[in-house]
Amino acid sequence: EAGVVQSPRYKIIEKKQPVAFWCNPISGHNTLYWYLQNLGQGPELLIRYENEEAVDDSQLPKDRFSAERLKGVDSTLKIQPAELGDSAVYLCASSLRETGELFFGEGSRLTVL
Amino acid sequence: KNEVEQSPQNLTAQEGEFITINCSYSVGISALHWLQQHPGGGIVSLFMLSSGKKKHGRLIATINIQEKHSSLHITASHPRDSAVYICAAANTGNQFYFGTGTSLTVIP
């Protein structure tokens, strides 16, 4: 069975440009998470979905970040415009509510120049 | 204030040594997760436990619910164990609280 799939793996952009990341969770997983991870730090939650509903987006910088999970399956995270401080790894994870085990994608490493 | 604290932050060991990484948490949990992240790699789940002890190969995870403390042990450590180990506390609402990780280096 395929794991959590993310793309792109790497993205280099200039500041003020837009960028989008895509995530396809494990089939049947109703909970989807987007995390940001800086070097040497643990993951920090950006947004959590239960099916198509964003149930926790309190840490999402809504002036420049947006996310959607329209059909409750795959999800997109967008940054517009990107700033230098957005350089980080963006991790997607999914879990099945009944079991609670968390599965991560490989991450999308963003470099903003 | 961090809901999850790990120690040590960095750890260097000789191959073959027994290693312990500690995790303390302050939130109510449904489960405690131990995760592994190799340099430049993704995060993989090692253990999810809510009581007692679990063992996979050379890795052992224990949890004391009353003391809100968990440990990850690695027996007969090997250079391929070199990675960052992250403790994460999950509550019943599917929220996860992550530690900042313990960077382990095992020297041949």
Side-chain angles (χ1 to χ4, degrees):
Chain A
E1 180 185 351
V4 178
V5 179
Q6 289 189 247
S7 68
R9 286 293 311 278
Y10 304 93
K11 189 73 176 179
I12 301 174
I13 60 172
E14 293 188 346
K15 63 181 180 182
K16 301 185 182 179
Q17 294 299 305
V19 64
F21 304 111
W22 176 79
C23 172
N24 194 20
I26 292 174
S27 177
H29 280 196
N30 40 14
T31 308
L32 183 147
Y33 308 78
W34 281 104
Y35 291 99
L36 176 154
Q37 187 179 30
N38 287 303
L39 191 66
Q41 300 293 315
E44 300 170 29
L45 180 69
L46 291 171
I47 190 167
R48 174 167 63 99
Y49 284 94
E50 296 287 348
N51 300 305
E52 67 275 9
E53 182 183 358
V55 296
D56 185 353
D57 63 355
S58 57
Q59 302 303 312
L60 189 73
K62 298 181 184 65
D63 56 335
R64 297 184 301 107
F65 286 65
S66 64
E68 60 183 18
R69 191 185 186 200
L70 293 175
K71 296 182 179 178
V73 182
D74 58 341
S75 175
T76 303
L77 177 70
K78 297 179 181 177
I79 308 174
Q80 183 170 11
E83 296 179 353
L84 295 176
D86 296 332
S87 295
V89 176
Y90 292 84
L91 295 164
C92 179
S94 71
S95 70
L96 191 59
R97 190 174 184 88
E98 290 76 12
T99 63
E101 192 172 1
L102 192 62
F103 295 86
F104 283 86
E106 292 288 316
S108 295
R109 181 178 296 277
L110 174 66
T111 301
V112 182
L113 302 175
Chain B
K1 171 183 171 296
N2 292 330
E3 291 86 354
V4 176
E5 299 277 359
Q6 284 185 239
S7 64
Q9 273 193 300
N10 297 285
L11 181 57
T12 300
Q14 292 288 332
E15 183 174 357
E17 283 186 9
F18 180 84
I19 288 163
T20 296
I21 299 171
N22 294 300
C23 173
S24 296
Y25 55 92
S26 58
V27 295
I29 65 166
S30 60
L32 192 289
H33 297 245
W34 281 101
L35 311 167
Q36 180 192 56
Q37 187 173 30
H38 281 101
I43 297 176
V44 296
S45 178
L46 297 175
F47 294 102
M48 182 177 74
L49 66 166
S50 54
S51 65
K53 174 179 168 178
K54 285 190 176 181
K55 183 176 188 293
H56 289 156
R58 295 179 296 104
L59 274 60
I60 303 166
T62 64
I63 188 168
N64 184 318
I65 297 294
Q66 287 73 30
E67 295 187 2
K68 294 192 172 182
H69 181 271
S70 176
S71 293
L72 176 68
H73 305 285
I74 305 175
T75 61
S77 59
H78 190 276
R80 64 175 173 267
D81 297 327
S82 298
V84 174
Y85 292 84
I86 302 171
C87 171
N91 66 15
T92 54
N94 268 1
Q95 287 177 296
F96 284 81
Y97 302 89
F98 293 89
T100 55
T102 295
S103 179
L104 171 65
T105 302
V106 181
I107 299 170

